[in-house]
Amino acid sequence: MTTTSANRPVGELLRQWRERRRMSQLDLSIQANISTRHLSFVETGRSKPSRSMILHLAEELDLPLRERNRLLLAGGFAPVYAETPLNSPEMISVREALGQVLSGHQPYPAVVVDQRWNLVDRNSATGLLLRGVAPELLEPPVNVLRLSLHPRGMAHRILNLGEWRAHLLHRLRRQISLTADPDLTELWRELDDYPCDQPEPEISPGPGQIVIPLRLRRGYRELVFFSTMTTFGHPMDITVAELAIEAYFPANPETAAYLQHQHHPD
């Protein structure tokens, strides 16, 4: 679980990413429509890849935009993908889109997170999830995975903590394998050390399950949710590419009725 570095030759970085994707040189050469000989020369440094070849191979390897910039730097080229602050004037349409999704999802909870699961924005319905959370965990930057699994966070209210924890850790491991982000690796190690007094299933979902639910204690009630993840289509900016909206939906009529009542009390 290590990240690439622009100090290494571009060919070496490409080889590391190819191996991370569990592809042979033949696999990648066929997918990229180049000769295996040429790919081998690029990886060993015998051939210097052009800017377009680096971007082509990065696309075929499905690399994050941030890593594509690092490959370009390693190859002696300027980065092509900007990282525009979300609060900049150029991002007004992005901010408006996020706001519309969050407000339109009321009365159900929804959050916007970045690649490292830091909270970017949320709607007011998330207050239901945050009740009882230790104040220090709500100090920026707020990490939603830490918030979920920390003993002073939501963990003490999650009735299926073992199942939910296994789901979140598996999702984080999958993300680490795709991005090689060292900060995510550190986060995974931290979360993995948190205590859990419930068994954690190795395989999820179980028989008959459609999705893995979040079962949350709310007073004497049990609220049950499932979530969806939404990202921007074809992003060309690193900031936009690393944003995601996690929206929670009621998984049964009782939860839906409770949330509707909280939004529009009699």
Side-chain angles (χ1 to χ4, degrees):
M1 294 183 181
T2 57
T3 189
T4 59
S5 169
N7 295 324
R8 297 177 182 173
V10 63
E12 180 181 339
L13 296 180
L14 284 167
R15 176 182 57 78
Q16 289 177 348
W17 276 109
R18 174 180 59 77
E19 292 174 347
R20 179 176 287 276
R21 296 293 189 254
R22 292 180 172 83
M23 299 177 70
S24 67
Q25 283 188 342
L26 179 60
D27 293 333
L28 181 55
S29 62
I30 291 174
Q31 184 169 309
N33 196 28
I34 62 175
S35 70
T36 306
R37 176 185 176 87
H38 182 48
L39 178 60
S40 176
F41 280 15
V42 167
E43 289 187 353
T44 58
R46 295 180 63 184
S47 176
K48 176 179 170 59
S50 66
R51 175 179 174 275
S52 61
M53 177 58 70
I54 292 174
L55 290 173
H56 177 55
L57 291 174
E59 175 71 21
E60 296 304 320
L61 289 167
D62 194 25
L63 300 192
L65 301 189
R66 189 179 298 276
E67 295 301 326
R68 300 184 194 199
N69 275 350
R70 288 174 177 161
L71 284 178
L72 288 168
L73 286 170
F77 302 99
V80 299
Y81 299 103
E83 187 173 4
T84 310
L86 188 58
N87 61 358
S88 66
E90 297 89 339
M91 300 285 270
I92 185 171
S93 60
V94 172
R95 295 196 303 272
E96 289 177 347
L98 294 173
Q100 289 174 12
V101 173
L102 290 178
S103 61
H105 196 63
Q106 298 273 26
Y108 308 143
V111 297
V112 180
V113 295
D114 64 17
Q115 176 177 280
R116 296 184 174 96
W117 294 93
N118 293 316
L119 182 67
V120 175
D121 201 356
R122 65 184 180 91
N123 65 12
S124 61
T126 57
L128 177 72
L129 305 180
L130 302 180
R131 290 172 184 168
V133 169
E136 64 268 19
L137 294 176
L138 298 176
E139 291 292 329
V142 176
N143 186 277
V144 299
L145 296 187
R146 181 180 295 117
L147 204 62
S148 295
L149 300 182
H150 195 283
R152 288 171 55 81
M154 293 171 53
H156 68 283
R157 295 177 56 211
I158 299 177
L159 298 173
N160 61 330
L161 179 60
E163 180 181 47
W164 189 248
R165 169 186 161 93
H167 161 64
L168 293 186
L169 291 178
H170 173 77
R171 184 164 66 177
L172 187 55
R173 285 196 302 270
R174 172 65 176 165
Q175 187 179 358
I176 291 168
S177 72
L178 292 174
T179 65
D181 188 326
D183 291 333
L184 290 178
T185 300
E186 287 303 311
L187 177 62
W188 182 89
R189 289 171 178 158
E190 176 190 337
L191 301 182
D192 190 52
D193 282 340
Y194 289 167
C196 179
D197 59 0
Q198 297 181 15
E200 299 178 38
E202 295 183 4
I203 300 176
S204 295
Q209 281 187 305
I210 299 175
V211 294
I212 297 174
L214 170 62
R215 301 185 180 277
L216 197 66
R217 182 187 298 110
R218 170 61 180 149
Y220 61 86
R221 293 181 175 87
E222 177 183 339
L223 304 179
V224 187
F225 300 90
F226 66 88
S227 67
T228 63
M229 297 295 294
T230 304
T231 58
F232 284 87
H234 307 294
M236 290 291 107
D237 184 278
I238 293 174
T239 299
V240 178
E242 294 181 350
L243 291 176
I245 303 171
E246 183 159 26
Y248 290 84
F249 293 84
N252 59 35
E254 294 78 16
T255 300
Y258 178 78
L259 295 174
Q260 292 286 349
H261 175 75
Q262 291 296 301
H263 190 61
H264 299 290
D266 295 335

